[in-house]
């Protein structure tokens, strides 16, 4: 009982969780009370689901009936990349798929307050030759390939995972999706080249929806297999290999029948939505990821990017609401690549393209490259004014400091078609843009343009793995903390039944 359980950190250091006060913060009383109301035990198993388009993280917890129920939904402060799976190291993509989180992936010494490793790449990703490392769910609201929460949020999520391990759960499942796999979302994204992959992981989504049980995940023939069991006449369980031929297996009939019923209903609704002309979602025009609307409302020129706000709710309506945690000053909201928008063809109705249902290979649409050559051009200068960067790395360290300025220059008259497309892009993507000013700007467009200075980037944060250099422990978001300013609170009392004392026998 004297030996602590060692957990691997972002920098692969072996640190004892029991010695870290941040990692031992108790589950907030309000969340414990919510568990009691929902017939859940503090240390019962959990399951996590992530949705990029909705910018939400859900924590599900097993009830005393044995099924999972939703405990709490957390708005995601920042995620990066595009809708679609991660394919290679440095593509800025946050992963999608099914992953398993065990105690060794919990990182109490993260440079981003607290974190846990998603486990990317899994066996399916490796079978397709996908690369990437250190893809996390962490705090600090800063992402270049991860899912970033506020420090207060990750402290709460971390405590829920820790307690599930104390209760005997060997690993909790993380399900990451581009969006909630509903008929309307499938219809809106029907032209996306990632649709074959999304249909495949929707199988697992449907298994969970109809059973409210964690689906068993296996891989064979470079595809996912859910809830596979041995045939009635088999003497042993099937052995799966992600790159090999699938062994003989069956799906329990009660699960298979429920899934077929749900999928038939979804397909009927999908066909109805397509037949009535549900608009196809626009492809990424260079926007890097998304942010939940509750955070975008707190940031000057904030934008939800590729995430979506609820209908009828504007950022202005949310500006006075309380933020679920501290938003750091260096947060970088999603912004459009105006050079890419202005050079793109004029908007037109997108044709519907049939996607083969049998293929599981993914054609990933990569974000457009940002031009570095037009240093004095109008679009490039405006892009710099918007604060667009060129970094394209996985988030393992905070971004470096960078400053830039643009020399005074007179711009030439922009062609009519490009100008109209740029106005449309600014109107669509830049919060607070006032169309009524366009006439005044048109009248003055012949005048020489003043120099445009790019706003310097925030100073780099020290890349340290020492918990002592971080701010004091964060108050719980469940206990009402989380104004849009820095909140400093006293360190909570560490429970006597710490991770070290309760988990020592495992070693």
């Amino acid at each position: 009982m004297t030996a602590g359980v060692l957990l691997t950190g972002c920098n692969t250091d072996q640190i004892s969780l029991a010695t870290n006060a941040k990692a031992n913060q108790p589950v907030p009383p309000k969340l414990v009370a919510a568990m009691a109301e929902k017939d859940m035990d503090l240390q019962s198993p959990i399951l996590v689901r992530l949705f990029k388009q909705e910018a939400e993280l859900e924590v599900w917890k097993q009830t005393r009936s044995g099924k999972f129920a939703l405990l709490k939904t957390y708005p995601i402060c920042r995620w990066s990349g595009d809708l679609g799976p991660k394919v290679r190291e440095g593509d800025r993509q946050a992963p999608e798929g099914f992953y398993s989180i065990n105690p060794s992936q919990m990182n109490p010494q993260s440079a981003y307050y607290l974190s846990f490793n998603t486990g990317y790449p899994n066996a399916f990703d490796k079978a397709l030759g996908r690369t990437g490392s250190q893809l996390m769910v962490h705090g600090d609201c800063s992402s270049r390939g991860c899912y970033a929460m506020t420090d207060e949020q990750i402290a709460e999520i971390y405590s829920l995972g820790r307690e599930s391990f104390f209760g005997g759960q060997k690993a909790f499942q993380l399900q990451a999706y581009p969006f909630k796999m509903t008929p309307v979302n499938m219809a809106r994204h029907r032209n996306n080249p990632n649709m074959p992959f999304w249909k495949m992981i929707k199988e697992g989504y449907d298994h969970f929806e109809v059973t409210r049980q964690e689906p068993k995940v296996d891989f064979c023939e470079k595809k996912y297999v859910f809830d596979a069991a041995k045939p009635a006449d088999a003497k042993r369980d099937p052995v799966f290999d992600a790159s090999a031929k699938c062994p003989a297996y069956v799906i329990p009939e009660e699960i298979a029948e429920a899934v077929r019923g749900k999928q038939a209903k979804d397909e009927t609704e999908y066909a109805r939505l397509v037949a009535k002309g549900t608009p196809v979602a626009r492809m990424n025009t260079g926007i890097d990821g998304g942010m939940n609307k509750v955070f975008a409302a707190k940031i000057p020129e904030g934008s939800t990017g590729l995430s979506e706000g609820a209908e009828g709710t504007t950022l202005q309506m949310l500006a006075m609401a309380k933020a679920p945690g501290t938003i750091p000053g260096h947060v970088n909201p999603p912004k459009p690549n105006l050079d890419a928008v202005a050079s793109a063809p004029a908007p037109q109705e997108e044709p519907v393209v049939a996607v083969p249902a049998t293929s599981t290979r993914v054609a990933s649409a990569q974000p457009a490259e940002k031009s570095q050559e037009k240093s004095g051009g109008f679009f490039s200068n405006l892009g710099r004014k918007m604060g667009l960067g060129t970094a394209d790395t996985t988030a393992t360290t905070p971004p470096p400091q960078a400053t830039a300025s643009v020399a005074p220059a007179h711009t030439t008259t922009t062609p009519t078609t490009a100008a109209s497309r740029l106005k449309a892009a600014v109107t669509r993507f830049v919060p607070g843009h006032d169309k009524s000013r366009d006439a005044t700007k048109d009248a003055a467009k012949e005048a020489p343009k003043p120099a445009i200075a790019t706003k310097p980037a925030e100073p780099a944060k020290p890349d340290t793995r020492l918990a002592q250099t971080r701010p004091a422990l964060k108050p719980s978001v469940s206990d009402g903390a989380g104004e849009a300013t820095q909140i400093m609170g006293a360190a909570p009392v560490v429970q006597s039944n710490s991770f070290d004392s309760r988990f020592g026998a495992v070693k």
Side-chain angles (χ1 to χ4, degrees), residues 94-431:
E96 294 175 7
F98 288 70
Y99 300 90
S100 181
I101 316 300
N102 62 49
S104 70
Q105 292 163 244
M106 305 290 281
N107 180 18
Q109 290 292 103
S110 174
Y112 296 89
Y113 195 72
L114 289 168
S115 67
F116 61 84
N117 194 312
T118 63
Y120 175 93
N122 61 21
F124 168 81
D125 301 317
K126 292 176 181 177
L128 293 181
R130 295 177 177 174
T131 59
S133 60
Q134 307 300 329
L135 279 300
M136 305 281 177
V137 176
H138 58 65
D140 202 45
C141 193
S142 175
S143 174
R144 284 181 289 169
C146 297
Y147 292 97
M149 317 300 292
T150 63
D151 290 356
E152 292 86 352
Q153 287 177 312
I154 193 61
E156 193 167 295
I157 296 165
Y158 193 100
S159 71
L160 292 171
R162 181 197 66 218
E163 292 300 321
S164 76
F165 295 140
F166 291 161
Q169 187 175 22
K170 295 181 179 179
F172 65 85
Q173 190 172 91
L174 177 103
Q175 304 176 5
Y177 299 100
F179 40 73
K180 293 187 176 179
M181 312 299 274
T182 61
V184 64
N185 280 334
M186 299 298 281
R188 291 183 63 241
H189 294 278
R190 59 189 179 272
N191 276 13
N192 194 294
N194 291 300
M195 186 53 70
F197 170 72
W198 291 340
K199 286 183 176 180
M200 181 173 57
I201 62 174
K202 183 180 182 294
E203 287 276 343
Y205 179 94
D206 291 341
H207 277 238
F208 180 72
E209 286 291 306
V210 301
T211 66
R212 288 293 186 252
Q213 299 279 0
E214 177 182 303
K216 177 176 172 287
V217 180
D218 289 296
F219 313 96
C220 60
E221 298 178 8
K222 299 181 180 180
K223 66 180 181 181
Y224 279 86
V225 177
F226 300 99
D227 289 320
K230 66 181 180 181
D233 58 348
K235 295 182 179 180
R236 64 176 186 174
D237 291 332
V239 178
F240 288 87
D241 184 315
S243 299
K245 183 179 179 181
C246 291
Y249 71 89
V250 296
I251 298 175
E253 184 56 32
E254 63 274 15
I255 297 177
E257 183 178 359
V259 170
R260 283 194 299 267
K262 180 183 184 304
Q263 291 179 343
K265 182 178 179 181
D266 288 350
E267 288 167 6
T268 299
E269 178 63 10
Y270 170 88
R272 185 189 70 83
L273 291 167
V274 172
K276 81 170 189 176
T278 297
V280 176
R282 295 179 65 90
M283 298 296 288
N284 183 4
T285 53
I287 304 172
D288 180 19
M291 170 180 282
N292 192 281
K293 59 186 179 295
V294 302
F295 295 111
K298 309 294 180 185
I299 303 169
E301 298 187 354
S303 168
T304 56
L306 297 178
S307 296
E308 297 180 348
E311 291 187 10
T313 304
T314 65
L315 297 186
Q316 289 76 14
M317 293 171 63
L318 292 166
M320 301 303 294
K322 183 179 294 185
T326 303
I327 304 176
H330 60 261
V331 65
N332 180 30
K335 293 179 182 178
N337 179 350
L338 297 186
D339 282 348
V341 174
S343 61
Q348 58 184 353
E349 189 67 23
E350 300 184 49
V352 176
V353 179
V355 178
T358 58
S359 173
T360 59
R361 297 188 64 82
V362 180
S364 176
Q366 298 299 324
E369 295 291 333
K370 298 179 178 63
S371 173
Q372 298 298 315
E373 299 176 359
K374 299 185 294 181
S375 60
F378 178 78
F379 299 117
S380 181
N381 290 339
L382 181 56
R384 290 191 179 90
K385 185 176 180 181
M386 293 291 295
L388 297 176
T390 60
D392 188 20
T393 58
T394 301
T396 54
T397 59
Q401 181 178 3
T403 58
S405 61
V406 179
H410 296 290
T411 58
T412 58
T413 303
T414 306
T416 303
T417 55
S420 61
R421 287 196 295 273
L422 180 62
K423 290 179 183 178
V426 173
T427 302
R428 180 181 179 198
F429 292 116
V430 179

Side-chain angles (χ1 to χ4, degrees), residues 418-451:
S420 61
R421 287 196 295 273
L422 180 62
K423 290 179 183 178
V426 173
T427 302
R428 180 181 179 198
F429 292 116
V430 179
H433 177 69
D434 188 354
K435 295 181 180 179
S436 64
R437 302 176 185 174
D438 290 348
T440 303
K441 292 181 179 179
D442 289 342
K445 69 180 181 180
E446 298 300 328
K449 300 294 187 296

Side-chain angles (χ1 to χ4, degrees), residues 476-493:
S476 165
V477 292
S478 289
D479 289 334
E483 295 291 349
T485 56
Q486 183 70 29
I487 303 174
M488 304 297 292
V493 177

